[in-house]
Amino acid sequence: MALYPMLWMFFCYGLLGWVLETAYAALRQRRYVDRSVLFGPLCLSYGLTGAVLTWGLWELRGRYFFLFLGCAVGATVVEWAAGHLLERATHTRWWDYSARRFNLDGYICAGASAVWGLLGMAAVQWVSPLLVSLYRLLPPLAGHILLWVLVGVLLVDGLGTILTLAGVRETLPQMEAVNSRLAALSIRMGEWILRRTEGRIQRTYPKAQFVRREETAKVNPFTRGSSFYSIMLLFLVGGVCGDLAETIFCRVRLGWWMSRSSVVWGPFSIVWGLALAAATLLLYRYRDRSASFFFVAGTLLGGLYEYLCSVFTELVFGTVFWDYSSIPFNLGGRINLLYCFFWGFAAVAWFKGLYPVLARWIARIPPRPGKLAVWALLVFMTVNMGVSALALARYSDRAAGKPATQAWEVYMDQHYNDAVMKRIYPYAEMTD
């Protein structure tokens, strides 16, 4: 899906989410309550979730069970992450499901996940096509200008919000004036919603509970499993180990060695690196939970993650890197039930076996040389992924018969021709 329709849906779903949250708060509390972190009438989490789910799950329209499941898992992850990020940034708990059954940290629960699944399914199935049709009614130039103006306003709003949290917004009068106007617009719209919902429900919505910041002493960042340096190191280690594991698996299963790398320099699987880092970041605080918890979480999150990775690589690079169409219980060839279970078993093995051992080794890394090494490796991997993206883009263009016209295209043709790319990505198949 193109950039501009995605931006359009981001702003539409952000506004619809703000209206939904404001109306719900009005029904519960009988007064206007601003449910957005920003000054303007926009909920970032709704906008991002609506756009990403539409982009990633578009081809599941009509397959209601899988669409519901994907939307429920994806929206639940966003709600969990948004709750913790807001608590850390504002020291405030914005919602609390602690009184509900099957909740996790009070930020997500089974009932809310089911509601998100239904809303997401309705959005992707019916609302998103309507929004795309409405956007196409606009003249192209007018639509582009409108979206870039909204992006500019969003950037100013976001910066003003950050400065407000830091207590320095008043030092920039122009930005303060813009944010004040956006806040006034939100209040007027919220009061309009309130006037149409007031008096329907008598029960009061619970007030926000403030969380006290705990002072912590400076410690070696590698001793904290969820620190930036620990997560980045796990991304690098997971990428290498994942590539080696897939290479050995292919050798045992197929009888020959083949590259399973995601990049042109060295053995590294971006899919596995991101999966290991993201899983640790999301689930680290639950490391003492049961194996069944990690199996279910790994199966659901791993399945959605692999599906979205497949969609992303096909849409961005025009390439399919794996195809499970020949395996029973597959979904569009992108994922299959057996490999989803593998993600679950991998989560159990990681948190109950491998991670505790690896964490002890990571904790022994001296802070200063460890930080320098992580940054050096991250710079190398950033360049590596950038070159790989350009090589794949040129690989796709060559398959489409497009000649090299730019200097970088000529360079890619010389150093990463079809033979080289076929050796690095033996299972990659071009799509139309």
Side-chain angles (χ1 to χ4, degrees):
M1 190 169 290
L3 172 63
Y4 290 105
M6 288 292 293
L7 282 175
W8 171 258
M9 281 189 289
F10 166 77
F11 286 109
C12 288
Y13 280 120
L15 176 61
L16 290 173
W18 181 86
V19 171
L20 178 65
E21 288 283 340
T22 302
Y24 179 72
L27 287 170
R28 297 291 299 272
Q29 199 167 351
R30 300 181 61 185
R31 67 183 179 88
Y32 167 66
V33 179
D34 190 357
R35 300 294 294 169
S36 175
V37 180
L38 301 172
F39 290 96
L42 189 79
C43 282
L44 289 177
S45 58
Y46 280 84
L48 288 172
T49 304
V52 171
L53 290 181
T54 298
W55 166 80
L57 305 180
W58 184 261
E59 63 186 39
L60 292 183
R61 289 178 304 139
R63 309 183 71 172
Y64 296 108
F65 172 77
F66 295 108
L67 184 57
F68 165 81
L69 187 61
C71 290
V73 175
T76 299
V77 171
V78 172
E79 185 178 31
W80 181 92
H84 284 283
L85 287 174
L86 285 172
E87 180 177 328
R88 177 169 294 186
T90 66
H91 315 298
T92 304
R93 179 174 283 270
W94 288 58
W95 63 88
D96 193 353
Y97 298 142
S98 298
R100 303 187 184 184
R101 298 184 61 187
F102 308 114
N103 77 85
L104 193 62
D105 295 342
Y107 280 126
I108 59 175
C109 67
S113 296
V115 172
W116 296 133
L118 292 173
L119 289 176
M121 181 179 67
V124 177
Q125 181 69 35
W126 297 292
V127 179
S128 292
L130 176 60
L131 292 178
V132 172
S133 299
L134 290 176
Y135 177 74
R136 288 174 178 169
L137 293 177
L138 297 174
L141 181 60
H144 294 175
I145 293 175
L146 172 63
L147 289 175
W148 282 116
V149 169
L150 290 175
V151 168
V153 174
L154 175 63
L155 291 176
V156 173
D157 196 354
L159 182 57
T161 301
I162 295 173
L163 293 178
T164 299
L165 292 175
V168 296
R169 181 167 68 98
E170 63 276 5
T171 61
L172 297 174
Q174 295 84 356
M175 181 171 293
E176 185 174 10
V178 172
N179 292 139
S180 297
R181 291 190 180 94
L182 290 172
L185 174 64
S186 298
I187 292 173
R188 287 196 297 269
M189 293 177 62
E191 289 178 343
W192 183 87
I193 295 173
L194 175 63
R195 288 194 297 270
R196 282 152 181 77
T197 57
E198 187 177 13
R200 297 187 180 183
I201 296 180
Q202 299 297 324
R203 187 156 48 96
T204 302
Y205 185 65
K207 294 182 179 180
Q209 300 175 3
F210 288 83
V211 180
R212 182 178 299 174
R213 176 186 290 181
E214 296 180 359
E215 297 294 333
T216 56
K218 292 184 178 180
V219 296
N220 184 345
F222 292 101
T223 62
R224 291 183 288 116
S226 59
S227 72
F228 169 81
Y229 291 99
S230 295
I231 295 299
M232 290 300 100
L233 190 58
L234 290 176
F235 164 70
L236 297 167
V237 172
V240 174
C241 293
D243 177 86
L244 295 177
E246 286 203 10
T247 301
I248 295 173
F249 177 78
C250 290
R251 177 66 178 85
V252 172
R253 182 186 175 191
L254 302 177
W256 63 81
W257 299 102
M258 70 171 63
S259 170
R260 299 300 296 165
S261 179
S262 304
V263 291
V264 294
W265 301 336
F268 189 88
S269 171
I270 296 177
V271 172
W272 277 99
L274 288 176
L276 197 66
T280 304
L281 183 63
L282 287 173
L283 303 177
Y284 172 77
R285 65 178 60 218
Y286 313 116
R287 58 192 179 278
D288 296 327
R289 292 252 181 166
S290 65
S292 59
F293 170 85
F294 287 108
F295 178 77
V296 174
T299 299
L300 295 175
L301 295 176
L304 179 63
Y305 170 73
E306 187 174 19
Y307 189 94
L308 293 179
C309 285
S310 175
V311 173
F312 175 81
T313 55
E314 182 174 350
L315 292 179
V316 174
F317 301 114
T319 305
V320 175
F321 288 92
W322 62 85
D323 187 357
Y324 302 139
S325 299
S326 61
I327 301 177
F329 305 108
N330 74 84
L331 188 58
R334 302 188 186 281
I335 59 174
N336 67 82
L337 187 59
L338 177 61
Y339 285 9
C340 287
F341 287 156
F342 282 173
W343 284 109
F345 288 123
V348 174
W350 174 245
F351 284 101
K352 294 301 181 181
L354 298 176
Y355 176 73
V357 176
L358 184 59
R360 288 194 291 269
W361 283 95
I362 292 177
R364 298 178 183 178
I365 298 176
R368 181 180 287 277
K371 290 181 179 180
L372 291 175
V374 169
W375 278 113
L377 290 171
L378 285 178
V379 170
F380 168 75
M381 284 307 305
T382 300
V383 176
N384 194 1
M385 288 187 287
V387 173
S388 302
L390 293 176
L392 283 167
R394 186 60 199 140
Y395 188 31
S396 178
D397 287 346
R398 284 198 302 270
K402 297 179 181 179
T405 58
Q406 304 291 331
W408 71 269
E409 295 175 328
V410 174
Y411 180 87
M412 291 299 160
D413 286 354
Q414 292 174 348
H415 293 82
Y416 302 102
N417 55 42
D418 290 351
V420 173
M421 297 299 287
K422 193 65 177 177
R423 175 175 55 80
I424 299 174
Y425 306 107
Y427 274 170
E429 297 181 4
M430 298 299 170
T431 60
D432 296 331

